[in-house]
Amino acid sequence: MYIDSKAISWLVLAGGLFLYLWNITDNQFTYATIFMAGSILLWMFIGFSTDSFDNKEFAQVLSGAGFLLAISVFFLYGLEEMPYPSGAIVFHSDGIAKSLGLGIAASLPLLFGMANIEPNQNSSQPNKTVATTESTIVVDHEDYELADVDDLTSGEFDI
């Protein structure tokens, strides 16, 4: 019987997201973070064990989880609703700073995990073209003559 490992790993992430959101709505930040980290680690383990792990997907999942965590920290620790006057909100700089730091940290997997390797390959290609253009240099001098293949293999030439 064939079992799709990709579907199972994405179901693990979906279950972890559900448990995370369930605990966040109950203001249980510690348990929500445990479920988030546990589901990502289980997703990684399934991906490694079935040889279906992709660095690009991992960067996207890690970044998404980090942004979700940053938003949760902002609303749980950066904002506080006051009872009087009705609807008043107090902003806490500590919670806002923590959520902004988490947001910056969450953007790092996107920057480093999804970087293209193509610029390195393109930088090596101009070196090859430079080498080919150097071999076609023409010197305008009366005593200079281009060597043919016959001249190079004859063994009779002056250096």
Side-chain angles (χ1 to χ4, degrees):
M1 181 168 116
Y2 175 74
I3 299 174
D4 189 16
S5 62
K6 282 287 206 183
I8 292 173
S9 63
W10 287 106
L11 282 174
V12 166
L13 278 181
L17 177 66
F18 174 75
L19 290 173
Y20 176 80
L21 294 175
W22 182 276
N23 284 304
I24 282 294
T25 56
D26 288 339
N27 289 331
Q28 296 178 354
F29 182 73
T30 306
Y31 293 126
T33 308
I34 289 171
F35 281 120
M36 176 188 284
S39 66
I40 291 174
L41 288 173
L42 185 60
W43 177 75
M44 284 176 45
F45 176 73
I46 292 171
F48 283 136
S49 63
T50 59
D51 291 332
S52 64
F53 184 78
D54 186 18
N55 286 335
K56 197 172 196 177
E57 287 178 356
F58 176 68
Q60 291 171 347
V61 167
L62 197 60
S63 182
F67 284 128
L68 186 63
L69 192 66
I71 291 170
S72 300
V73 166
F74 176 74
F75 283 113
L76 288 176
Y77 300 111
L79 297 178
E80 181 182 359
E81 186 178 359
M82 299 301 288
Y84 183 80
S86 179
I89 296 175
V90 175
F91 294 97
H92 296 287
S93 60
D94 292 344
I96 294 171
K98 290 175 186 176
S99 67
L100 288 175
L102 282 171
I104 290 172
S107 66
L108 293 177
L110 286 179
L111 293 175
F112 296 123
M114 299 178 69
N116 291 334
I117 303 172
E118 294 174 9
N120 293 338
Q121 292 173 353
N122 289 340
S123 65
S124 65
Q125 289 176 352
N127 292 339
K128 292 177 185 176
T129 58
V130 169
T132 58
T133 58
E134 288 178 4
S135 63
T136 59
I137 295 175
V138 176
V139 177
D140 292 326
H141 194 269
E142 328 177 314
D143 296 334
Y144 183 76
E145 180 182 322
L146 288 176
D148 295 344
V149 176
D150 295 332
D151 293 335
L152 292 175
T153 56
S154 69
E156 300 175 9
F157 55 90
D158 260 345
I159 296 178

